[in-house]
Amino acid sequence: MTAAIDFNAGGYRFKDLLREGIVSSRGDLNYKQTRLGFPRPIKIGLSAAWYPKSEVHAWLAERAALRDRPANSESEKRPARERSRRLR
């Protein structure tokens, strides 16, 4: 994540991410971290993690920018998956 951490803005704990609807479960959080670039936490204890709001909001803004991007030519769309030979 390239955004500077603004510690004065506060942060989220996992339960806050759930309450805000940013993640729906720990599995969803893990998926977003490994596949979608969601920020990793700052460990503040043995079993406590803190997600800076500045990083989370920057990630959400990045995702919104992807959504709001105008549709490009047909060649940039992802090709349809081919069926497996076993299914034919």
Side-chain angles (χ1 to χ4, degrees):
M1 183 82 10
T2 59
I5 298 174
D6 179 10
F7 292 104
N8 294 324
Y12 294 111
R13 300 284 300 270
F14 175 71
K15 65 180 180 175
D16 301 323
L17 296 173
L18 285 173
R19 185 181 63 243
E20 295 293 326
I22 298 170
V23 299
S24 58
S25 66
R26 290 195 185 276
D28 182 42
L29 175 61
N30 183 49
Y31 174 81
K32 287 177 177 172
Q33 287 174 329
T34 57
R35 302 275 174 99
L36 302 178
F38 191 82
R40 299 283 182 183
I42 296 171
K43 296 297 283 184
I44 58 174
L46 292 176
S47 62
W50 188 76
Y51 300 84
K53 283 185 177 181
S54 59
E55 288 185 355
V56 172
H57 294 172
W59 180 81
L60 288 170
E62 184 180 305
R63 300 297 298 170
L66 291 173
R67 175 201 64 195
D68 295 337
R69 185 174 58 186
N72 291 328
S73 66
E74 291 291 321
S75 64
E76 292 186 19
K77 291 184 179 179
R78 191 171 12 166
R81 289 184 177 176
E82 292 183 26
R83 287 186 174 178
S84 170
R85 294 193 187 274
R86 285 185 284 160
L87 297 177
R88 290 183 186 174

